[in-house]
Amino acid sequence: MANTIEAVDRELGQLLVRVAGGDRGAFGRLYDLSSGRLFAVAKAVLRRQELAEEALQEAFVKIWQRAKQYDPAQAKPLAWLAAMALNQAIDVRRRFAERISATAAEA
């Protein structure tokens, strides 16, 4: 199992380099390899499918925009991707809480 995770991380690292260069095909493969795990991160934070889907979509937009910032000396690829998903999930949770509060105040 460790070899499988290492192989996936190695491929993710290579894909991030290509995504940083604007390679849409690499981005698709990156999505295919990591979206399930990243969705699980978002769902753990948000607990609602539709909110987790929103966070995942936003996370992949950020990944596309920030792939050039990935530094393999700082984090493994999957950890970096998971941090992006976690941060987006937290942002979505804050926005959702603000919407709930605003709706309650209007009622």
Side-chain angles (χ1 to χ4, degrees):
M1 177 115 172
N3 288 339
T4 303
I5 293 170
E6 289 171 10
V8 168
D9 248 356
R10 191 170 29 259
E11 184 174 359
L12 289 173
Q14 294 165 354
L15 290 168
L16 279 169
V17 169
R18 291 174 47 203
V19 169
D23 185 333
R24 292 179 185 271
F27 185 70
R29 177 72 177 145
L30 182 83
Y31 181 89
D32 290 343
L33 282 176
S34 63
S35 62
R37 290 179 177 105
L38 301 187
F39 180 76
V41 168
K43 185 101 186 274
V45 171
L46 296 163
R47 292 193 168 71
R48 290 183 52 182
Q49 173 121 2
E50 69 277 8
L51 294 177
E53 289 170 355
E54 181 178 333
L56 183 66
Q57 179 178 350
E58 292 176 12
F60 273 100
V61 169
K62 298 278 187 190
I63 290 164
W64 175 259
Q65 294 169 339
R66 298 182 183 172
K68 290 179 184 174
Q69 297 173 3
Y70 171 67
D71 180 0
Q74 297 294 316
K76 291 190 176 207
L78 190 54
W80 187 79
L81 294 167
M84 298 288 275
L86 176 63
N87 289 336
Q88 286 309 124
I90 291 168
D91 287 349
V92 167
R93 185 172 64 190
R94 283 186 194 130
R95 280 198 317 268
F96 183 72
E98 289 169 5
R99 277 187 255 155
I100 298 267
S101 296
T103 303
E106 292 172 3

